[in-house]
Each structure stands twice: as structure tokens, then as C-alpha cells.
Amino acid sequence: MLTQVVTPNFYRYISTEACKVVKPVREASKTLRHIHFPTRRPYTEGLEIQEKFVRANLDFKLMEAKISRHQKSVAEQGYVLSDYESELLAKIASLKPCPTVLTFEFEPTYTGGKREKQNTTASDVAKYEAKGAQYVQVERGGQVTYHGPGQVVAYPILDLKSFSNLSLKCYVSKLEKAIQAVLLRGKNYASGSSTREFGIQTITTTDTGVWANEEEKIAALGINARRSITSFGAAINVATDLRYLNDADLVMCGLSDKTTTSMEALGVQSSVKDVAFCFAKELGNILGVERVEHLDGDELKVDGEE
């Protein structure tokens, strides 16, 4: 199975022309489904939930490929599908999963990207876990990062081919722009506590992620794609305990000379839920979708709980 992984600086030198306006090219992609999980949970549970959605998308793509081969074979033999068969195939195509963004708040966890697989030793794991956090190896780009309370972890799951002009490189750039839009003009609208915009000016640099300035990162990115289906995504620091990220003994994202900040550290108060809702809204805007639906993950019980 072909897997693409975004590594640091993978997409930095993209011309303006290369990342054009993105629009859905299939009916199913005109709606972005946002599922927020309000209950803080272990990181591994989030991985399991994400994999269920990714697998559903991959299985549908496999079925589409089989149908396409069948249609081609029928045409090559000079046969024509009946109206019933054509309608049936059209109905199947309409069942394609819509783009989904899962948002979580996790228990303290350090995760290692693919570049860490061969380098991380048992003593390294012990060093991370000595900080009171779990260490988990995952299948995404990048190196070691942290997830924990006070942080939005957002996993968009979508088919890149269901949108115009959306290469993997441009997709990562769009994620950054969505985060920047959240930090600049996002509001605490979900709770109704404020209508004032967050107003945080950010930049992108030659290093992956979104930065409050040249030295302080406020949001990290790590992406994976299988057969154009995306997984993993972004982590936005809302009120994160920065001691987990700025410990002198640990290196986050392979950047030993940089530090991490948060919205709270910059004087902006918000909740994980509000920032998660804002991210879904801004991502929908950037992808050109018509509707963003917000759902409660705890009520849906998509993690298989009874």
C-alpha cells in the first residue's frame, strides 16, 4: 500500500500558482463533518477512532476501483449496463464518506513520527515517560511532539482527490492557513462567552507548523496519506502545560533551538472546544465546502463503547 508522509520542509517551497483555490469535485465532499470528543481520553483511544474512519474511506476507495474495472471490462466487451445497474452504481457512489475532522483533548502523551522509529531507544522512552506522560510510536511525518490537556488535536480525514487543486503539499499548506485563521479571527462562539476575536498574529517559517514568532511555535503538524486518504493533522496549544514541551532535556519536532507557546501564554483565554469548532469552520472555508456539521463524539460512541 502506497503511503506518503509529510516530513519537515517537505512542502515549504511551493509557488503561489501551485496552491490554487480548492473546491469539492464530488457531492459527498461538499459537507465537512466535525466530530468533537469533549471527554479527555488516552491518546491510543483517539488513534483507534481515527483508524476506523480511515479504514472506511480506504474500503470505499477499493470498492470504487473494483466497480470502475467492472465498468471498463463491460464496455470493452461491447455490453451496455441496464438502467437498473446504472442506477445501482450511482447509489453506491453517493454513499462515499464525506470529509471528517476529529478533534480531541488527550491525556499527556509524547508521540514519535516515522523518523523516530529507528532512533528511539528504551532509554529514550523512559526519559519521556519520566515526565509523567505515555510515549506512543505513530505512523505520521515529523519527529517527537506532545499532546495533552489544554490542546486541540485535530485529525482531518478526507480524500485529496475529491477536491480540485489539492495535492498533499498544498493540503498541508491549507491546514496551516486554517490554523492561522483560527488564531487571528476565531471566537469563543461555541460557549457563547465572548464575541471578541482571538487576534493572535502568526507566521509560517522554513520549519513545519504555525509560529507566534521566529522562536515560538504555537501549533504543530504531522500528516500521513494512504491512497490519497489523509490522517493525523495538527495540534493547537490552547492552554497547554508548556513544561512538557519546553523541558531542556527534551527536543520537540527536532528543533533544539526553538520553544513552544500557547494561546494562554499569549494572553488569550479560550476552551479546547471553542478552538476545535473554530478550526473545523476555518478548514471548511479553505476547502470550499458548503456545510460544516458539528457532532458530539461522546454521544455518537464511535469508539465502540456501549
Side-chain angles (χ1 to χ4, degrees):
M1 179 180 294
L2 176 62
T3 298
Q4 288 178 285
V5 179
V6 171
T7 55
N9 305 324
F10 175 72
Y11 60 96
R12 276 296 160 220
Y13 302 102
I14 309 172
S15 69
T16 303
E17 294 300 318
C19 270
K20 300 177 182 178
V21 175
V22 171
K23 293 291 183 182
V25 295
R26 300 187 62 162
E27 190 64 31
S29 298
K30 293 181 180 179
T31 297
L32 175 66
R33 182 168 294 135
H34 170 220
I35 305 177
H36 179 64
F37 295 84
T39 303
R40 190 179 301 165
R41 63 188 61 223
Y43 181 79
T44 51
E45 285 188 12
L47 282 185
E48 292 174 1
I49 293 170
Q50 175 187 233
E51 184 57 26
K52 289 181 180 180
F53 281 88
V54 172
R55 177 49 53 192
N57 277 267
L58 290 172
D59 288 347
F60 194 91
K61 284 198 72 130
L62 179 61
M63 181 175 64
E64 281 186 311
K66 290 181 178 179
I67 290 174
S68 178
R69 288 195 297 269
H70 173 68
Q71 289 175 310
K72 182 179 179 180
S73 175
V74 168
E76 289 175 345
Q77 295 177 53
Y79 295 109
V80 178
L81 295 176
S82 67
D83 290 343
Y84 170 77
E85 290 171 321
S86 296
E87 290 176 6
L88 178 60
L89 293 179
K91 288 180 180 179
I92 293 173
S94 70
L95 298 175
K96 182 177 178 64
C98 67
T100 300
V101 57
L102 310 174
T103 53
F104 301 95
E105 181 179 16
F106 291 125
E107 299 293 348
T109 309
Y110 290 103
T111 66
K114 284 194 171 185
R115 295 177 66 189
E116 299 299 314
K117 269 189 172 182
Q118 304 300 322
N119 302 324
T120 304
T121 65
S123 61
D124 291 328
V125 172
K127 179 176 63 175
Y128 289 115
E129 294 184 341
K131 305 300 179 182
Q134 184 182 19
Y135 182 88
V136 180
Q137 178 63 51
V138 295
E139 298 297 307
R140 59 156 173 78
Q143 295 170 282
V144 174
T145 193
Y146 169 78
H147 298 312
Q151 183 189 73
V152 174
V153 177
Y155 290 157
I157 302 164
L158 56 89
D159 187 348
L160 295 172
K161 296 185 182 300
S162 289
F163 294 86
S164 62
N165 305 312
L166 194 58
S167 67
L168 186 62
K169 293 181 181 181
C170 288
Y171 168 66
V172 178
S173 179
K174 299 298 185 185
L175 285 184
E176 285 187 328
K177 292 184 184 302
I179 294 169
Q180 288 187 285
V182 169
L183 295 173
L184 181 62
R185 61 175 179 260
K187 300 177 182 179
N188 292 318
Y189 71 92
S191 63
S193 62
S194 173
T195 57
R196 183 177 179 180
E197 294 182 342
F198 297 146
I200 300 174
Q201 297 278 355
T202 57
I203 61 173
T204 55
T205 73
T206 54
D207 293 310
T208 307
V210 174
W211 298 74
N213 52 61
E214 294 282 351
E215 304 300 323
E216 295 180 302
K217 180 185 285 190
I218 192 168
L221 275 74
I223 310 298
N224 190 34
R226 285 180 277 175
R227 290 169 47 212
S228 79
I229 302 298
T230 65
S231 58
F232 295 97
I236 306 171
N237 296 322
V238 181
T240 316
D241 186 343
L242 298 177
R243 291 175 295 180
Y244 284 99
L245 289 146
N246 295 332
D247 190 304
D249 295 333
L250 306 178
V251 177
M252 295 292 102
C253 303
L255 303 172
S256 59
D257 58 338
K258 308 293 183 181
T259 59
T260 305
T261 190
S262 67
M263 294 174 64
E264 182 181 60
L266 296 174
V268 177
Q269 300 295 320
S270 186
S271 68
V272 166
K273 179 180 179 180
D274 284 355
V275 174
F277 274 51
C278 289
F279 175 78
K281 173 178 175 290
E282 295 297 347
L283 182 62
N285 286 340
I286 284 178
L287 293 177
V289 304
E290 297 178 356
R291 297 174 299 278
V292 177
E293 300 176 350
H294 301 283
L295 302 172
D296 186 309
D298 286 354
E299 292 180 358
L300 291 176
K301 297 186 182 301
V302 298
D303 52 1
E305 295 175 355
E306 296 297 332

